[in-house]
Amino acid sequence: MNEVIMEYFKIYNIWFLSVLLLLQCIGIPTGATLLVIASGAFAYAGEFNIFIILIEVWIFVCVGDVISYMLWKFIGHKTLNRFSKLKIYIEPKILKAHEYLEKHGKAAVFYTRFLISAMGPFINAAAGIAGYELPHFISFVVLGELLWTCMYLGLGYWFGDSWENIILIITQTSEVLVYIILLIVIVYFFIKILKKK
């Protein structure tokens, strides 16, 4: 793990982590997940109260997801209105995204919080631009992020002093899941193009 990030975390702890969590929810890779695992390990060592850190991390990731949703809702539409050619191209896709989210939005929001969390910022963007209902979005963000927070803090707490050993496994598993999802999306669009021809 990056030594600089760990040093900042030791000095500024939850405030530094909260900024990284908010940026991660927007879609900027920050390594905050690894710091959440480290927080669990530090709680095991007695440096943090596990329940307080759980609530703090949970609140910050939920707030980050809502901020991401709102940014895409307002900035996405302003950008499309400014570029008319882009709007003509994107608008049908927004309608499809809206239809998809109406059918499967609850599951998409919920599972991309913890199971395939790398896709979370993309769902935030799609939900914001497509105008997915904010109360539904928030309720499934809250549930999914609670699982995510418990899972990663729990891993750090469970492994305690040897928490760094599991980071490689978690990183590789996340990468494999993202590659599988990307492959499925590419195959889907390839088949769709072939059917049109």
Side-chain angles (χ1 to χ4, degrees), residues 180-193:
I180 289 170
I181 291 167
L182 287 174
L183 180 64
I184 290 169
V185 169
I186 290 168
V187 168
Y188 169 77
F189 283 114
F190 181 72
I191 291 170
K192 200 171 179 181
I193 290 168

Side-chain angles (χ1 to χ4, degrees), residues 34-51:
L34 304 179
L35 286 182
V36 171
I37 296 170
S39 299
F42 293 154
Y44 173 81
E47 293 184 37
F48 297 131
N49 181 315
I50 189 70
F51 297 109

Side-chain angles (χ1 to χ4, degrees), residues 113-183:
R113 299 309 104 184
F114 69 97
L115 190 59
I116 43 175
S117 56
M119 299 299 289
F122 299 108
I123 294 296
N124 294 349
I129 291 174
Y132 185 64
E133 293 180 39
L134 185 59
H136 289 168
F137 180 80
I138 290 174
S139 59
F140 286 93
V141 158
V142 166
L143 292 172
E145 292 295 13
L146 178 61
L147 282 173
W148 181 86
T149 305
C150 290
M151 187 169 66
Y152 286 106
L153 273 176
L155 280 170
Y157 193 84
W158 179 266
F159 283 91
D161 295 334
S162 59
W163 65 272
E164 290 176 326
N165 296 337
I166 62 163
I167 288 180
L168 185 62
I169 296 167
I170 292 169
T171 306
Q172 289 175 345
T173 305
S174 298
E175 286 176 6
V176 168
L177 281 173
V178 169
Y179 291 140
I180 289 170
I181 291 167
L182 287 174
L183 180 64

Side-chain angles (χ1 to χ4, degrees), residues 22 26 60 62-73 137:
L22 293 172
I26 293 170
F60 283 118
C62 290
V63 167
D65 284 330
V66 173
I67 288 171
S68 178
Y69 171 95
M70 299 305 277
L71 279 173
W72 283 103
K73 184 170 183 154
F137 180 80

Side-chain angles (χ1 to χ4, degrees), residues 5 9 31 38 61 94 105 125 127 180 189 191:
I5 290 176
F9 177 64
V61 290
I94 292 173
I180 289 170
F189 283 114
I191 291 170

